[in-house]
Amino acid sequence: MEKPTDQNPESTHDSRYGTTPGYMAGFGNDFESEALKGALPQGRNSPQRVEYGLYAEQLSGSPFTAPHRTLERSWLYRIRPSVKHLGRLQKIAHPYWKTAPNKIPDVVSLGQYRWDPVPFPEGQKLTFIDGIRTMTTAGDVGIQMGMAAHVYLANADMKDEYFYNADAELLVVPQIGRLKIATEFGLIDLEPLEICILPRGMAFKVSLPDGKARGFICENYGAKFTLPNRGPIGANCLANPRDFKTPVAQFEDIERPCHVTVKWCGEFHRTTIDHSPLDVVAWHGNYAPFKYDLRHFSPVGAISFDHPDPSIFTVLTAPTSEEGTANIDFVIFPPRWLPQEDTFRPPWYHKNIMSELMGNIYGQYDAKPHGFVPGGISLHNCMLPHGPDQEAFEKASHSNWDPVKLKDTMSFMFETRFPQQLTEFAGKEAPLQDDYVDCWSGLERKFDGTPGLK
């Protein structure tokens, strides 16, 4: 079993003591940060002349006239304006990175699917961007609805290579290996059991402190991820706002050839410039990257009977105009206590309108004791039944009612309202488990009409 970087994922994490150096705490806050004293203008956004000879510009993540609760923008004070970060663009290919709509005629997406971990390629150098392999797509990027689910495989640093996604924001979920993500807003150090959001339109590059890395990405075409409404839960628990960390300003002043790749409308374009685009010396606003430690998620569940809906484990949600129906929900299944009485404790058998792609970061998932291994993926599309395999059913049906703690486990789910279409890579190249549907073959008829029989 591959373990995350932290050898004891349930231990007390250093960041729980005091503040976290290099980061600002909070979700959706208006932050301000400067790498050089006095670089950030006060009392105005665009003075006639900015200190240090910097240029002022705005990066908007929402329309100018959006309601205040959804208005997102940041002011950046940089060595060069971003019009200097793009030259003449040339179209290039990233054949394994697909964008919706991407329906393949000879690939069947209707079914229950599960994959072993996608292996690292032998004898091939891949940066974080080069190593992205799309598993599913959903919706339509052209109308800014839907998503894509990817695996990334990386064994080479992006040295003078930079990237930004004009189509979507990226939710990054490491599974093996740490990532050092240099962004226009500052530096994010990311390890397994943490996640980060890289906003749409923001340039970044990724290096690999451990030499190689594998993980998952959700590419969100729709409204930005936000915290779910807690309703009767109240102000606390689940993912608490204070545990989200936004980096402080840090910039590169590099004068040498650098390459910038842009993803736009599902296509990729590349240009060469003579400097780094990560030249923001100061910034303020609420449109910025951030990271979150999944070990800080505070689960809420039943303490009497019945297993609650999995939505109770939602970390982030990307809403739609239809209230309560998400473009994407990011849900986790963390270590937690199960105290319910006279209850079948694993997730029950079900089918619903949402399509669910799951990934295993580490450990054993309670509804699938075997086969769903760390680094593995499963897909249950909308209105397709799924649930515990035969072994999990029998164990849960006959266990006692003593409280049990699920330990050494962390799985997640990218759930969307749209059907997820398999890519050619997922259907033909990725290590698909052809016998996955057999995990339910042992479920037997138990009904015989006798009252009280269980």
Side-chain angles (χ1 to χ4, degrees):
M1 178 190 302
E2 295 280 2
K3 279 273 190 175
T5 302
D6 183 347
Q7 292 301 305
N8 184 5
E10 296 185 70
S11 65
T12 301
H13 203 242
D14 290 344
S15 66
R16 297 179 71 164
Y17 294 96
T19 58
T20 306
Y23 299 92
M24 299 172 285
F27 187 92
N29 294 6
D30 259 271
F31 295 105
E32 61 176 31
S33 182
E34 58 183 17
L36 295 177
K37 186 176 177 59
L40 189 66
Q42 298 297 314
R44 65 193 63 206
N45 294 321
S46 186
Q48 186 178 29
R49 288 186 296 275
V50 183
E51 290 292 335
Y52 298 100
L54 299 173
Y55 290 86
E57 70 176 40
Q58 185 174 221
L59 176 61
S60 296
S62 63
F64 298 135
T65 55
H68 180 73
R69 68 182 182 277
T70 60
L71 189 62
E72 294 188 311
R73 60 86 182 93
S74 287
W75 279 90
L76 314 178
Y77 302 92
R78 57 196 323 155
I79 296 173
R80 294 176 177 85
S82 58
V83 292
K84 296 284 288 183
H85 299 336
L86 289 180
R88 290 176 171 81
L89 293 162
Q90 292 186 330
K91 191 178 290 188
I92 62 171
H94 278 277
Y96 284 101
W97 189 335
K98 302 298 183 183
T99 300
N102 183 64
K103 190 171 182 179
I104 309 299
D106 61 342
V107 172
V108 179
S109 298
L110 183 66
Q112 297 106 332
Y113 293 100
R114 191 165 68 190
W115 293 265
D116 288 325
V118 178
F120 287 91
E122 296 184 6
Q124 185 179 3
K125 287 293 185 182
L126 296 173
T127 67
F128 177 81
I129 299 300
D130 295 332
I132 288 176
R133 304 288 185 263
T134 307
M135 299 296 294
T136 67
T137 64
D140 188 333
V141 72
I143 57 175
Q144 290 292 287
M145 298 178 69
M147 56 159 280
H150 315 284
V151 173
Y152 68 82
L153 308 164
N155 56 15
D157 294 343
M158 296 171 66
K159 292 182 179 177
D160 291 319
E161 297 281 344
Y162 302 85
F163 177 84
Y164 76 84
N165 193 330
D167 286 341
E169 66 177 348
L170 300 177
L171 165 60
V172 181
V173 185
Q175 191 262 323
I176 294 175
R178 293 171 294 163
L179 304 177
K180 186 178 288 289
I181 308 174
T183 80
E184 293 183 82
F185 291 77
L187 187 64
I188 293 178
D189 288 304
L190 199 66
E191 67 182 33
L193 295 180
E194 294 180 322
I195 62 168
C196 79
I197 293 286
L198 302 175
R200 181 181 175 190
M202 183 203 68
F204 67 90
K205 68 177 181 181
V206 179
S207 57
L208 310 172
D210 301 320
K212 69 175 185 178
R214 180 176 65 201
F216 313 92
I217 298 173
C218 182
E219 187 179 8
N220 174 22
Y221 307 147
K224 276 180 52 47
F225 279 111
T226 188
L227 296 178
N229 293 323
R230 290 191 177 99
I233 294 173
N236 303 297
C237 292
L238 308 185
N240 287 305
R242 66 168 299 195
D243 294 322
F244 290 82
K245 309 297 184 184
T246 295
V248 299
Q250 181 174 312
F251 66 97
E252 293 182 345
D253 187 5
I254 292 174
E255 304 278 343
R256 62 173 177 261
C258 296
H259 309 289
V260 180
T261 299
V262 182
K263 180 177 185 284
W264 185 82
C265 291
E267 297 181 333
F268 297 86
H269 301 77
R270 191 170 187 260
T271 189
T272 300
I273 57 178
D274 61 2
H275 57 274
S276 167
L278 308 185
D279 61 356
V280 177
V281 179
W283 65 271
H284 78 87
N286 65 349
Y287 189 66
F290 58 82
K291 75 171 185 174
Y292 174 74
D293 191 331
L294 299 178
R295 290 162 287 202
H296 292 170
F297 187 83
S298 180
V300 174
I303 56 175
S304 179
F305 61 88
D306 281 355
H307 186 293
D309 292 336
S311 51
I312 204 73
F313 300 116
T314 302
V315 180
L316 294 167
T317 185
T320 66
S321 58
E322 184 177 347
E323 186 175 359
T325 303
N327 184 58
I328 309 166
D329 282 328
F330 174 63
V331 180
I332 64 171
F333 303 99
R336 60 197 184 277
W337 281 96
L338 302 178
Q340 305 98 311
E341 296 182 351
D342 192 17
T343 291
F344 185 80
R345 287 173 173 172
W348 15 255
Y349 298 100
H350 67 288
K351 56 183 176 180
N352 58 40
I353 68 166
M354 306 293 278
S355 57
E356 305 172 1
L357 183 139
M358 285 190 63
N360 187 346
I361 298 174
Y362 89 103
Q364 178 178 296
Y365 178 58
D366 60 330
K368 300 289 193 302
H370 303 290
F372 187 41
V373 299
I377 300 170
S378 69
L379 174 66
H380 303 112
N381 248 314
C382 54
M383 287 304 175
L384 288 180
H386 52 286
D389 62 22
Q390 191 255 346
E391 179 183 345
F393 176 82
E394 293 297 336
K395 180 179 178 181
S397 297
H398 297 95
S399 60
N400 61 42
W401 297 352
D402 294 339
V404 174
K405 185 174 184 181
L406 293 180
K407 299 188 295 184
D408 299 325
T409 183
M410 183 68 78
S411 298
F412 70 88
M413 182 164 64
F414 299 151
E415 183 179 72
T416 177
R417 65 180 297 185
F418 299 103
Q420 298 191 47
Q421 303 289 337
L422 268 63
T423 62
E424 191 166 15
F425 173 78
K428 298 181 179 180
E429 294 186 49
L432 182 66
Q433 296 179 6
D434 293 330
D435 60 349
Y436 174 46
V437 294
D438 296 335
C439 75
W440 296 293
S441 61
L443 293 169
E444 301 171 339
R445 171 191 169 102
K446 298 179 181 293
F447 174 77
D448 70 355
T450 304
L453 182 66
K454 293 186 178 179

